[in-house]
Amino acid sequence: MSDHALTSVLVVALAAMLAPILAAASARVVRVPNVVLEILLGVLVGPVVLGWVRVDGLVAAISDFGLAMLMFMAGFEIEFQRIRGRPIRLAVLGWLISLAAGMAIGLALFGFGTAAQVIGLALTTTALGTILPMVRDAGALGSPFGGRVLAMGALGEFGPIVVMAFVFSEDEKIHTVLVIALFALIAIAAAAWAARPRDPRLGELVSVTMSTSGQLGVRIVMFVLVLMLWLAATFRLDVLLGAFAAGIVIRLAVNSGPPGEEEIVASKLDGIGFGMLIPFFFVISGVTLDLKAMFASPASLLLIPVFLLLFLLVRGLPTYLLNRRDPELRLGEPRALGLFAAAALPLIVVITNTGVEEGVLTTSTAAAMVTAGVISVMIYPLAALRLYRAAEQNARI
């Protein structure tokens, strides 16, 4: 390991450590999500300001695995018993409406071409991995509202990843469809196997080693995650699809285990993911954010409020309209759901970075959209939480 690579990792780890400290210190004035502070600290230590971090092969690899872990955790959080039926039907319909609207707006802004598809697809994303900790901390995850957040967020993460395979695929579309179908069959088979009752000897071994250096349960999780990443890469699909599928498989596996195992596994995964890997990804996202190119282009600066509004119109509005008459939601909760849906960031980073690498999107436009995504996770979830707490308070009166 080179000296500059180790220095970069050290600085990123420092930024990741400082983010929750700064979030707690600023909480009395304004609640800022950790992810936003991680990105801002990344900008600070990156080439735009201090220049302490250089993204080489090692740093990029850790960041990529952090993103995979974020998508894994998003899949792991999905509880199918709670989203089946009306919640998932409305979530699917809402995302399809968002996809049509996003593509139409992308076409209007950028004309015919891949750039319009990239922008349109990015407008349909929802930062499930970012908003879930907020919903969980608010005690809303176990409510009907929490189930709607899970369903809506799952489509906002899973849908764009699937469509990305078509937008950026170099193969024939029919070939891409067949490959995705084959991968889906493998993932479904793995999920069905995971949901089966576990062999008592394996279950006992997992339970015993969870409190020792063996940690068999965690090692199985890591193996399944890497296996699904490898399968997705082998099929020339986005590895994030494999990470999301791995999260679903592991969720079904722990649900079939003994009582209490789910909580233990979840806490250990939180430690691995949100303790190091996921914040590493967000800090590096800030490091690679090309603010110089954005500030050098007045048109790109004007795109920031435009994208911020479009997140609300393309993703938030359909979600609100479809859920506003849901009898299980309290007054104010449909609006909160729409605001949560409009919070978008991780997949925006992925989609726009891919667009830049493919040469269909300028770095200034990508930076403007990512900046709008940063602002969206700062304001929309906080407003949504206020609406949810007001609804909860009114229900107690």
Side-chain angles (χ1 to χ4, degrees), residues 65 69 72 76 190 193-194 198-199 201-210 213-229 245-247 249-254 256-257 261 265 268-269 272:
F65 200 74
M69 194 68 188
F72 170 86
F76 180 76
W193 176 82
R198 190 178 305 164
D199 184 281
R201 291 171 296 180
L202 176 61
E204 182 181 358
L205 185 59
V206 168
S207 299
V208 169
T209 58
M210 289 301 279
S213 60
Q215 296 293 319
L216 179 59
V218 176
R219 297 186 190 197
I220 291 174
V221 169
M222 291 296 104
F223 171 76
V224 172
L225 172 57
V226 175
L227 174 62
M228 297 303 287
L229 294 178
V249 169
I250 295 301
R251 163 60 67 180
L252 294 173
V254 297
S256 67
E261 181 182 274
V265 172
K268 291 181 181 291
L269 292 178
I272 295 171

mmCIF file of all heavy atoms in Angstrom, residues 65 69 72 76 190 193-194 198-199 201-210 213-229 245-247 249-254 256-257 261 265 268-269 272:
data_model
loop_
_atom_site.group_PDB
_atom_site.id
_atom_site.type_symbol
_atom_site.label_atom_id
_atom_site.label_comp_id
_atom_site.label_asym_id
_atom_site.label_seq_id
_atom_site.Cartn_x
_atom_site.Cartn_y
_atom_site.Cartn_z
ATOM 1 N N PHE A 65 -17.198 -0.705 -2.832
ATOM 2 C CA PHE A 65 -17.770 -1.710 -1.939
ATOM 3 C C PHE A 65 -18.702 -1.057 -0.920
ATOM 4 O O PHE A 65 -19.688 -1.665 -0.497
ATOM 5 C CB PHE A 65 -16.668 -2.490 -1.226
ATOM 6 C CG PHE A 65 -17.140 -3.817 -0.692
ATOM 7 C CD1 PHE A 65 -17.371 -4.879 -1.544
ATOM 8 C CD2 PHE A 65 -17.380 -3.999 0.657
ATOM 9 C CE1 PHE A 65 -17.829 -6.098 -1.070
ATOM 10 C CE2 PHE A 65 -17.835 -5.208 1.151
ATOM 11 C CZ PHE A 65 -18.056 -6.270 0.279
ATOM 12 N N MET A 69 -22.502 -2.045 -0.303
ATOM 13 C CA MET A 69 -23.029 -2.306 1.034
ATOM 14 C C MET A 69 -24.280 -1.468 1.295
ATOM 15 O O MET A 69 -25.231 -1.941 1.942
ATOM 16 C CB MET A 69 -21.958 -1.980 2.080
ATOM 17 C CG MET A 69 -22.275 -2.519 3.465
ATOM 18 S SD MET A 69 -22.195 -4.320 3.502
ATOM 19 C CE MET A 69 -22.842 -4.657 5.139
ATOM 20 N N PHE A 72 -27.010 -3.181 -0.494
ATOM 21 C CA PHE A 72 -27.309 -4.416 0.244
ATOM 22 C C PHE A 72 -28.207 -4.113 1.445
ATOM 23 O O PHE A 72 -29.192 -4.818 1.683
ATOM 24 C CB PHE A 72 -26.013 -5.064 0.712
ATOM 25 C CG PHE A 72 -26.213 -6.202 1.675
ATOM 26 C CD1 PHE A 72 -26.450 -7.479 1.209
ATOM 27 C CD2 PHE A 72 -26.170 -5.988 3.049
ATOM 28 C CE1 PHE A 72 -26.648 -8.535 2.099
ATOM 29 C CE2 PHE A 72 -26.367 -7.030 3.934
ATOM 30 C CZ PHE A 72 -26.605 -8.307 3.466
ATOM 31 N N PHE A 76 -31.846 -5.434 2.414
ATOM 32 C CA PHE A 76 -32.003 -6.134 3.680
ATOM 33 C C PHE A 76 -33.146 -5.555 4.510
ATOM 34 O O PHE A 76 -33.787 -6.280 5.282
ATOM 35 C CB PHE A 76 -30.697 -6.061 4.473
ATOM 36 C CG PHE A 76 -30.738 -6.749 5.804
ATOM 37 C CD1 PHE A 76 -30.673 -8.134 5.890
ATOM 38 C CD2 PHE A 76 -30.845 -6.021 6.980
ATOM 39 C CE1 PHE A 76 -30.724 -8.772 7.113
ATOM 40 C CE2 PHE A 76 -30.889 -6.652 8.209
ATOM 41 C CZ PHE A 76 -30.829 -8.030 8.283
ATOM 42 N N ALA A 190 -32.418 -18.421 -5.052
ATOM 43 C CA ALA A 190 -31.641 -18.209 -3.830
ATOM 44 C C ALA A 190 -32.535 -17.726 -2.694
ATOM 45 O O ALA A 190 -32.382 -18.146 -1.536
ATOM 46 C CB ALA A 190 -30.525 -17.196 -4.092
ATOM 47 N N TRP A 193 -34.609 -20.641 -1.408
ATOM 48 C CA TRP A 193 -33.778 -21.522 -0.574
ATOM 49 C C TRP A 193 -33.520 -20.885 0.790
ATOM 50 O O TRP A 193 -33.550 -21.564 1.822
ATOM 51 C CB TRP A 193 -32.457 -21.797 -1.292
ATOM 52 C CG TRP A 193 -31.506 -22.612 -0.477
ATOM 53 C CD1 TRP A 193 -31.481 -23.968 -0.318
ATOM 54 C CD2 TRP A 193 -30.423 -22.109 0.320
ATOM 55 N NE1 TRP A 193 -30.460 -24.348 0.527
ATOM 56 C CE2 TRP A 193 -29.791 -23.233 0.935
ATOM 57 C CE3 TRP A 193 -29.919 -20.842 0.570
ATOM 58 C CZ2 TRP A 193 -28.703 -23.091 1.780
ATOM 59 C CZ3 TRP A 193 -28.829 -20.692 1.414
ATOM 60 C CH2 TRP A 193 -28.226 -21.811 2.002
ATOM 61 N N ALA A 194 -33.267 -19.579 0.802
ATOM 62 C CA ALA A 194 -32.984 -18.883 2.060
ATOM 63 C C ALA A 194 -34.187 -18.887 2.990
ATOM 64 O O ALA A 194 -34.039 -18.881 4.222
ATOM 65 C CB ALA A 194 -32.539 -17.449 1.780
ATOM 66 N N ARG A 198 -34.211 -23.681 8.455
ATOM 67 C CA ARG A 198 -32.784 -23.945 8.483
ATOM 68 C C ARG A 198 -32.486 -25.284 9.165
ATOM 69 O O ARG A 198 -33.192 -25.703 10.079
ATOM 70 C CB ARG A 198 -32.075 -22.806 9.218
ATOM 71 C CG ARG A 198 -30.553 -22.824 9.133
ATOM 72 C CD ARG A 198 -29.986 -21.636 9.860
ATOM 73 N NE ARG A 198 -30.558 -20.396 9.369
ATOM 74 C CZ ARG A 198 -30.467 -19.246 10.017
ATOM 75 N NH1 ARG A 198 -29.860 -19.194 11.188
ATOM 76 N NH2 ARG A 198 -31.001 -18.162 9.511
ATOM 77 N N ASP A 199 -31.413 -25.914 8.689
ATOM 78 C CA ASP A 199 -30.940 -27.129 9.342
ATOM 79 C C ASP A 199 -30.577 -26.802 10.791
ATOM 80 O O ASP A 199 -29.846 -25.837 11.046
ATOM 81 C CB ASP A 199 -29.702 -27.651 8.609
ATOM 82 C CG ASP A 199 -29.214 -28.963 9.192
ATOM 83 O OD1 ASP A 199 -28.550 -28.912 10.251
ATOM 84 O OD2 ASP A 199 -29.487 -30.007 8.582
ATOM 85 N N ARG A 201 -28.532 -28.015 12.914
ATOM 86 C CA ARG A 201 -27.094 -27.993 13.225
ATOM 87 C C ARG A 201 -26.440 -26.710 12.733
ATOM 88 O O ARG A 201 -25.618 -26.123 13.430
ATOM 89 C CB ARG A 201 -26.425 -29.220 12.603
ATOM 90 C CG ARG A 201 -26.802 -30.551 13.250
ATOM 91 C CD ARG A 201 -26.295 -31.723 12.457
ATOM 92 N NE ARG A 201 -26.910 -31.783 11.125
ATOM 93 C CZ ARG A 201 -26.639 -32.708 10.218
ATOM 94 N NH1 ARG A 201 -25.756 -33.669 10.502
ATOM 95 N NH2 ARG A 201 -27.238 -32.713 9.054
ATOM 96 N N LEU A 202 -26.833 -26.268 11.535
ATOM 97 C CA LEU A 202 -26.291 -25.011 11.016
ATOM 98 C C LEU A 202 -26.770 -23.838 11.859
ATOM 99 O O LEU A 202 -25.994 -22.935 12.182
ATOM 100 C CB LEU A 202 -26.707 -24.818 9.557
ATOM 101 C CG LEU A 202 -26.277 -23.491 8.906
ATOM 102 C CD1 LEU A 202 -24.759 -23.372 8.888
ATOM 103 C CD2 LEU A 202 -26.852 -23.381 7.494
ATOM 104 N N GLY A 203 -28.053 -23.860 12.229
ATOM 105 C CA GLY A 203 -28.591 -22.790 13.056
ATOM 106 C C GLY A 203 -27.876 -22.693 14.392
ATOM 107 O O GLY A 203 -27.571 -21.590 14.858
ATOM 108 N N GLU A 204 -27.607 -23.851 14.997
ATOM 109 C CA GLU A 204 -26.899 -23.847 16.286
ATOM 110 C C GLU A 204 -25.477 -23.321 16.121
ATOM 111 O O GLU A 204 -24.990 -22.537 16.946
ATOM 112 C CB GLU A 204 -26.874 -25.259 16.853
ATOM 113 C CG GLU A 204 -26.200 -25.352 18.219
ATOM 114 C CD GLU A 204 -26.169 -26.766 18.762
ATOM 115 O OE1 GLU A 204 -26.720 -27.674 18.080
ATOM 116 O OE2 GLU A 204 -25.608 -26.971 19.858
ATOM 117 N N LEU A 205 -24.803 -23.726 15.034
ATOM 118 C CA LEU A 205 -23.434 -23.272 14.792
ATOM 119 C C LEU A 205 -23.384 -21.763 14.564
ATOM 120 O O LEU A 205 -22.488 -21.081 15.081
ATOM 121 C CB LEU A 205 -22.851 -24.013 13.589
ATOM 122 C CG LEU A 205 -21.375 -23.737 13.267
ATOM 123 C CD1 LEU A 205 -20.491 -24.100 14.458
ATOM 124 C CD2 LEU A 205 -20.957 -24.503 12.018
ATOM 125 N N VAL A 206 -24.357 -21.245 13.826
ATOM 126 C CA VAL A 206 -24.416 -19.798 13.604
ATOM 127 C C VAL A 206 -24.615 -19.069 14.924
ATOM 128 O O VAL A 206 -23.929 -18.088 15.223
ATOM 129 C CB VAL A 206 -25.553 -19.444 12.613
ATOM 130 C CG1 VAL A 206 -25.799 -17.933 12.605
ATOM 131 C CG2 VAL A 206 -25.212 -19.924 11.210
ATOM 132 N N SER A 207 -25.542 -19.549 15.740
ATOM 133 C CA SER A 207 -25.823 -18.896 17.025
ATOM 134 C C SER A 207 -24.620 -18.923 17.954
ATOM 135 O O SER A 207 -24.295 -17.925 18.611
ATOM 136 C CB SER A 207 -27.018 -19.582 17.702
ATOM 137 O OG SER A 207 -28.173 -19.489 16.910
ATOM 138 N N VAL A 208 -23.934 -20.075 18.008
ATOM 139 C CA VAL A 208 -22.790 -20.206 18.907
ATOM 140 C C VAL A 208 -21.647 -19.290 18.492
ATOM 141 O O VAL A 208 -21.001 -18.648 19.330
ATOM 142 C CB VAL A 208 -22.313 -21.683 18.955
ATOM 143 C CG1 VAL A 208 -20.972 -21.796 19.663
ATOM 144 C CG2 VAL A 208 -23.353 -22.540 19.656
ATOM 145 N N THR A 209 -21.376 -19.206 17.188
ATOM 146 C CA THR A 209 -20.208 -18.445 16.721
ATOM 147 C C THR A 209 -20.455 -16.937 16.657
ATOM 148 O O THR A 209 -19.503 -16.180 16.467
ATOM 149 C CB THR A 209 -19.777 -18.921 15.322
ATOM 150 O OG1 THR A 209 -20.882 -18.766 14.404
ATOM 151 C CG2 THR A 209 -19.349 -20.371 15.357
ATOM 152 N N MET A 210 -21.700 -16.498 16.818
ATOM 153 C CA MET A 210 -21.976 -15.057 16.740
ATOM 154 C C MET A 210 -21.362 -14.294 17.902
ATOM 155 O O MET A 210 -21.200 -13.077 17.852
ATOM 156 C CB MET A 210 -23.484 -14.799 16.669
ATOM 157 C CG MET A 210 -24.114 -15.206 15.349
ATOM 158 S SD MET A 210 -23.425 -14.360 13.917
ATOM 159 C CE MET A 210 -24.315 -12.817 14.010
ATOM 160 N N SER A 213 -14.986 -15.464 17.830
ATOM 161 C CA SER A 213 -14.245 -14.969 16.670
ATOM 162 C C SER A 213 -14.678 -15.645 15.374
ATOM 163 O O SER A 213 -14.301 -15.209 14.287
ATOM 164 C CB SER A 213 -12.736 -15.185 16.876
ATOM 165 O OG SER A 213 -12.449 -16.566 17.039
ATOM 166 N N GLY A 214 -15.463 -16.715 15.493
ATOM 167 C CA GLY A 214 -15.940 -17.412 14.296
ATOM 168 C C GLY A 214 -16.864 -16.576 13.443
ATOM 169 O O GLY A 214 -16.731 -16.526 12.219
ATOM 170 N N GLN A 215 -17.864 -15.912 14.061
ATOM 171 C CA GLN A 215 -18.787 -15.006 13.375
ATOM 172 C C GLN A 215 -19.309 -15.622 12.065
ATOM 173 O O GLN A 215 -19.308 -14.974 11.011
ATOM 174 C CB GLN A 215 -18.099 -13.673 13.089
ATOM 175 C CG GLN A 215 -17.695 -12.884 14.314
ATOM 176 C CD GLN A 215 -18.902 -12.377 15.096
ATOM 177 O OE1 GLN A 215 -19.898 -11.919 14.519
ATOM 178 N NE2 GLN A 215 -18.828 -12.465 16.408
ATOM 179 N N LEU A 216 -19.777 -16.878 12.140
ATOM 180 C CA LEU A 216 -20.201 -17.578 10.934
ATOM 181 C C LEU A 216 -21.334 -16.839 10.225
ATOM 182 O O LEU A 216 -21.349 -16.752 8.983
ATOM 183 C CB LEU A 216 -20.634 -19.004 11.280
ATOM 184 C CG LEU A 216 -21.141 -19.850 10.107
ATOM 185 C CD1 LEU A 216 -20.071 -19.977 9.036
ATOM 186 C CD2 LEU A 216 -21.595 -21.217 10.599
ATOM 187 N N GLY A 217 -22.280 -16.310 10.985
ATOM 188 C CA GLY A 217 -23.405 -15.611 10.369
ATOM 189 C C GLY A 217 -22.954 -14.440 9.516
ATOM 190 O O GLY A 217 -23.416 -14.263 8.378
ATOM 191 N N VAL A 218 -22.027 -13.636 10.035
ATOM 192 C CA VAL A 218 -21.522 -12.479 9.294
ATOM 193 C C VAL A 218 -20.724 -12.939 8.075
ATOM 194 O O VAL A 218 -20.817 -12.355 6.989
ATOM 195 C CB VAL A 218 -20.652 -11.588 10.199
ATOM 196 C CG1 VAL A 218 -20.045 -10.432 9.401
ATOM 197 C CG2 VAL A 218 -21.476 -11.055 11.360
ATOM 198 N N ARG A 219 -19.963 -14.006 8.225
ATOM 199 C CA ARG A 219 -19.169 -14.513 7.101
ATOM 200 C C ARG A 219 -20.072 -15.043 5.988
ATOM 201 O O ARG A 219 -19.777 -14.877 4.803
ATOM 202 C CB ARG A 219 -18.213 -15.599 7.589
ATOM 203 C CG ARG A 219 -17.196 -15.082 8.597
ATOM 204 C CD ARG A 219 -16.176 -16.126 8.969
ATOM 205 N NE ARG A 219 -15.365 -15.683 10.099
ATOM 206 C CZ ARG A 219 -14.202 -16.235 10.444
ATOM 207 N NH1 ARG A 219 -13.720 -17.247 9.745
ATOM 208 N NH2 ARG A 219 -13.524 -15.779 11.491
ATOM 209 N N ILE A 220 -21.183 -15.668 6.358
ATOM 210 C CA ILE A 220 -22.142 -16.135 5.349
ATOM 211 C C ILE A 220 -22.724 -14.936 4.608
ATOM 212 O O ILE A 220 -22.858 -14.955 3.377
ATOM 213 C CB ILE A 220 -23.254 -16.968 6.006
ATOM 214 C CG1 ILE A 220 -22.693 -18.299 6.516
ATOM 215 C CG2 ILE A 220 -24.388 -17.228 5.012
ATOM 216 C CD1 ILE A 220 -23.688 -19.122 7.303
ATOM 217 N N VAL A 221 -23.059 -13.894 5.345
ATOM 218 C CA VAL A 221 -23.607 -12.685 4.731
ATOM 219 C C VAL A 221 -22.624 -12.105 3.729
ATOM 220 O O VAL A 221 -22.986 -11.766 2.586
ATOM 221 C CB VAL A 221 -23.949 -11.639 5.810
ATOM 222 C CG1 VAL A 221 -24.265 -10.293 5.158
ATOM 223 C CG2 VAL A 221 -25.130 -12.098 6.648
ATOM 224 N N MET A 222 -21.358 -11.962 4.118
ATOM 225 C CA MET A 222 -20.354 -11.394 3.230
ATOM 226 C C MET A 222 -20.139 -12.265 1.996
ATOM 227 O O MET A 222 -19.961 -11.765 0.883
ATOM 228 C CB MET A 222 -19.039 -11.205 3.978
ATOM 229 C CG MET A 222 -19.070 -10.127 5.056
ATOM 230 S SD MET A 222 -19.369 -8.463 4.359
ATOM 231 C CE MET A 222 -21.103 -8.218 4.804
ATOM 232 N N PHE A 223 -20.187 -13.590 2.181
ATOM 233 C CA PHE A 223 -20.033 -14.497 1.043
ATOM 234 C C PHE A 223 -21.181 -14.335 0.056
ATOM 235 O O PHE A 223 -20.968 -14.257 -1.162
ATOM 236 C CB PHE A 223 -19.950 -15.951 1.514
ATOM 237 C CG PHE A 223 -20.011 -16.943 0.386
ATOM 238 C CD1 PHE A 223 -18.904 -17.146 -0.428
ATOM 239 C CD2 PHE A 223 -21.175 -17.648 0.131
ATOM 240 C CE1 PHE A 223 -18.958 -18.047 -1.487
ATOM 241 C CE2 PHE A 223 -21.246 -18.548 -0.927
ATOM 242 C CZ PHE A 223 -20.129 -18.752 -1.739
ATOM 243 N N VAL A 224 -22.409 -14.283 0.577
ATOM 244 C CA VAL A 224 -23.577 -14.130 -0.297
ATOM 245 C C VAL A 224 -23.508 -12.795 -1.039
ATOM 246 O O VAL A 224 -23.800 -12.723 -2.247
ATOM 247 C CB VAL A 224 -24.884 -14.233 0.518
ATOM 248 C CG1 VAL A 224 -26.091 -13.869 -0.341
ATOM 249 C CG2 VAL A 224 -25.047 -15.646 1.077
ATOM 250 N N LEU A 225 -23.104 -11.732 -0.346
ATOM 251 C CA LEU A 225 -22.996 -10.416 -0.979
ATOM 252 C C LEU A 225 -21.991 -10.456 -2.127
ATOM 253 O O LEU A 225 -22.294 -10.030 -3.251
ATOM 254 C CB LEU A 225 -22.585 -9.366 0.056
ATOM 255 C CG LEU A 225 -22.240 -7.971 -0.492
ATOM 256 C CD1 LEU A 225 -23.397 -7.391 -1.285
ATOM 257 C CD2 LEU A 225 -21.846 -7.035 0.650
ATOM 258 N N VAL A 226 -20.794 -10.969 -1.860
ATOM 259 C CA VAL A 226 -19.759 -11.018 -2.901
ATOM 260 C C VAL A 226 -20.178 -11.953 -4.034
ATOM 261 O O VAL A 226 -19.923 -11.671 -5.220
ATOM 262 C CB VAL A 226 -18.409 -11.449 -2.297
ATOM 263 C CG1 VAL A 226 -17.354 -11.610 -3.387
ATOM 264 C CG2 VAL A 226 -17.937 -10.418 -1.277
ATOM 265 N N LEU A 227 -20.834 -13.071 -3.704
ATOM 266 C CA LEU A 227 -21.303 -14.005 -4.727
ATOM 267 C C LEU A 227 -22.293 -13.329 -5.672
ATOM 268 O O LEU A 227 -22.188 -13.464 -6.909
ATOM 269 C CB LEU A 227 -21.951 -15.223 -4.064
ATOM 270 C CG LEU A 227 -22.633 -16.232 -5.012
ATOM 271 C CD1 LEU A 227 -21.609 -16.841 -5.969
ATOM 272 C CD2 LEU A 227 -23.358 -17.307 -4.217
ATOM 273 N N MET A 228 -23.251 -12.571 -5.125
ATOM 274 C CA MET A 228 -24.247 -11.905 -5.960
ATOM 275 C C MET A 228 -23.617 -10.773 -6.768
ATOM 276 O O MET A 228 -24.015 -10.520 -7.919
ATOM 277 C CB MET A 228 -25.389 -11.384 -5.097
ATOM 278 C CG MET A 228 -26.181 -12.461 -4.376
ATOM 279 S SD MET A 228 -26.909 -13.715 -5.483
ATOM 280 C CE MET A 228 -28.239 -12.786 -6.225
ATOM 281 N N LEU A 229 -22.621 -10.097 -6.206
ATOM 282 C CA LEU A 229 -21.885 -9.086 -6.976
ATOM 283 C C LEU A 229 -21.170 -9.746 -8.157
ATOM 284 O O LEU A 229 -21.176 -9.221 -9.276
ATOM 285 C CB LEU A 229 -20.869 -8.374 -6.083
ATOM 286 C CG LEU A 229 -21.405 -7.497 -4.946
ATOM 287 C CD1 LEU A 229 -20.244 -6.927 -4.137
ATOM 288 C CD2 LEU A 229 -22.275 -6.373 -5.473
ATOM 289 N N ALA A 245 -30.141 -7.636 -4.484
ATOM 290 C CA ALA A 245 -30.678 -8.992 -4.399
ATOM 291 C C ALA A 245 -30.105 -9.743 -3.209
ATOM 292 O O ALA A 245 -30.815 -10.490 -2.524
ATOM 293 C CB ALA A 245 -30.382 -9.748 -5.697
ATOM 294 N N ALA A 246 -28.814 -9.538 -2.929
ATOM 295 C CA ALA A 246 -28.189 -10.204 -1.784
ATOM 296 C C ALA A 246 -28.846 -9.769 -0.476
ATOM 297 O O ALA A 246 -29.049 -10.586 0.429
ATOM 298 C CB ALA A 246 -26.697 -9.887 -1.752
ATOM 299 N N GLY A 247 -29.178 -8.488 -0.365
ATOM 300 C CA GLY A 247 -29.847 -8.001 0.834
ATOM 301 C C GLY A 247 -31.192 -8.673 1.055
ATOM 302 O O GLY A 247 -31.550 -9.035 2.186
ATOM 303 N N VAL A 249 -32.082 -11.676 -0.093
ATOM 304 C CA VAL A 249 -31.831 -13.079 0.244
ATOM 305 C C VAL A 249 -31.489 -13.230 1.725
ATOM 306 O O VAL A 249 -32.022 -14.116 2.420
ATOM 307 C CB VAL A 249 -30.699 -13.645 -0.638
ATOM 308 C CG1 VAL A 249 -30.250 -15.019 -0.121
ATOM 309 C CG2 VAL A 249 -31.153 -13.754 -2.089
ATOM 310 N N ILE A 250 -30.611 -12.371 2.219
ATOM 311 C CA ILE A 250 -30.207 -12.458 3.625
ATOM 312 C C ILE A 250 -31.367 -12.114 4.549
ATOM 313 O O ILE A 250 -31.527 -12.725 5.621
ATOM 314 C CB ILE A 250 -28.995 -11.544 3.891
ATOM 315 C CG1 ILE A 250 -27.776 -12.038 3.122
ATOM 316 C CG2 ILE A 250 -28.684 -11.464 5.376
ATOM 317 C CD1 ILE A 250 -27.343 -13.448 3.466
ATOM 318 N N ARG A 251 -32.210 -11.158 4.174
ATOM 319 C CA ARG A 251 -33.391 -10.846 4.984
ATOM 320 C C ARG A 251 -34.277 -12.068 5.134
ATOM 321 O O ARG A 251 -34.734 -12.395 6.240
ATOM 322 C CB ARG A 251 -34.160 -9.690 4.339
ATOM 323 C CG ARG A 251 -35.602 -9.514 4.806
ATOM 324 C CD ARG A 251 -35.699 -9.263 6.301
ATOM 325 N NE ARG A 251 -35.127 -7.973 6.656
ATOM 326 C CZ ARG A 251 -35.077 -7.493 7.900
ATOM 327 N NH1 ARG A 251 -35.562 -8.226 8.903
ATOM 328 N NH2 ARG A 251 -34.540 -6.319 8.163
ATOM 329 N N LEU A 252 -34.529 -12.769 4.047
ATOM 330 C CA LEU A 252 -35.362 -13.967 4.111
ATOM 331 C C LEU A 252 -34.699 -15.060 4.937
ATOM 332 O O LEU A 252 -35.374 -15.817 5.653
ATOM 333 C CB LEU A 252 -35.640 -14.479 2.689
ATOM 334 C CG LEU A 252 -36.498 -13.555 1.817
ATOM 335 C CD1 LEU A 252 -36.552 -14.076 0.386
ATOM 336 C CD2 LEU A 252 -37.904 -13.421 2.387
ATOM 337 N N ALA A 253 -33.366 -15.137 4.853
ATOM 338 C CA ALA A 253 -32.644 -16.163 5.616
ATOM 339 C C ALA A 253 -32.750 -15.911 7.115
ATOM 340 O O ALA A 253 -33.001 -16.841 7.890
ATOM 341 C CB ALA A 253 -31.179 -16.207 5.179
ATOM 342 N N VAL A 254 -32.560 -14.676 7.551
ATOM 343 C CA VAL A 254 -32.610 -14.403 8.991
ATOM 344 C C VAL A 254 -34.043 -14.496 9.513
ATOM 345 O O VAL A 254 -34.262 -14.818 10.684
ATOM 346 C CB VAL A 254 -31.997 -13.022 9.329
ATOM 347 C CG1 VAL A 254 -30.527 -12.972 8.972
ATOM 348 C CG2 VAL A 254 -32.745 -11.890 8.642
ATOM 349 N N SER A 256 -36.047 -16.749 8.702
ATOM 350 C CA SER A 256 -36.322 -18.175 8.930
ATOM 351 C C SER A 256 -35.515 -18.733 10.094
ATOM 352 O O SER A 256 -35.659 -19.905 10.438
ATOM 353 C CB SER A 256 -35.993 -18.971 7.659
ATOM 354 O OG SER A 256 -34.599 -18.960 7.389
ATOM 355 N N GLY A 257 -34.673 -17.905 10.701
ATOM 356 C CA GLY A 257 -33.834 -18.345 11.803
ATOM 357 C C GLY A 257 -34.533 -18.247 13.144
ATOM 358 O O GLY A 257 -35.703 -17.868 13.234
ATOM 359 N N GLU A 261 -32.095 -13.743 16.362
ATOM 360 C CA GLU A 261 -30.958 -13.749 15.435
ATOM 361 C C GLU A 261 -30.995 -12.535 14.507
ATOM 362 O O GLU A 261 -29.954 -11.947 14.196
ATOM 363 C CB GLU A 261 -30.960 -15.023 14.610
ATOM 364 C CG GLU A 261 -29.780 -15.121 13.636
ATOM 365 C CD GLU A 261 -29.830 -16.378 12.794
ATOM 366 O OE1 GLU A 261 -29.328 -17.404 13.267
ATOM 367 O OE2 GLU A 261 -30.384 -16.332 11.676
ATOM 368 N N VAL A 265 -27.849 -10.021 13.861
ATOM 369 C CA VAL A 265 -27.248 -9.882 12.525
ATOM 370 C C VAL A 265 -27.373 -8.444 12.036
ATOM 371 O O VAL A 265 -26.422 -7.873 11.490
ATOM 372 C CB VAL A 265 -27.914 -10.857 11.538
ATOM 373 C CG1 VAL A 265 -27.445 -10.587 10.110
ATOM 374 C CG2 VAL A 265 -27.600 -12.300 11.920
ATOM 375 N N LYS A 268 -24.847 -6.126 13.654
ATOM 376 C CA LYS A 268 -23.489 -6.332 13.150
ATOM 377 C C LYS A 268 -23.342 -5.765 11.741
ATOM 378 O O LYS A 268 -22.311 -5.177 11.392
ATOM 379 C CB LYS A 268 -23.129 -7.822 13.178
ATOM 380 C CG LYS A 268 -22.963 -8.363 14.597
ATOM 381 C CD LYS A 268 -22.589 -9.828 14.603
ATOM 382 C CE LYS A 268 -22.451 -10.350 16.028
ATOM 383 N NZ LYS A 268 -21.283 -9.782 16.723
ATOM 384 N N LEU A 269 -24.373 -5.909 10.918
ATOM 385 C CA LEU A 269 -24.326 -5.356 9.565
ATOM 386 C C LEU A 269 -24.332 -3.830 9.606
ATOM 387 O O LEU A 269 -23.665 -3.175 8.793
ATOM 388 C CB LEU A 269 -25.495 -5.870 8.747
ATOM 389 C CG LEU A 269 -25.472 -7.368 8.419
ATOM 390 C CD1 LEU A 269 -26.717 -7.767 7.633
ATOM 391 C CD2 LEU A 269 -24.221 -7.730 7.639
ATOM 392 N N ILE A 272 -20.774 -2.833 10.314
ATOM 393 C CA ILE A 272 -19.894 -2.953 9.151
ATOM 394 C C ILE A 272 -20.227 -1.906 8.101
ATOM 395 O O ILE A 272 -19.337 -1.234 7.564
ATOM 396 C CB ILE A 272 -20.021 -4.365 8.534
ATOM 397 C CG1 ILE A 272 -19.525 -5.426 9.514
ATOM 398 C CG2 ILE A 272 -19.234 -4.456 7.228
ATOM 399 C CD1 ILE A 272 -19.807 -6.842 9.064
#
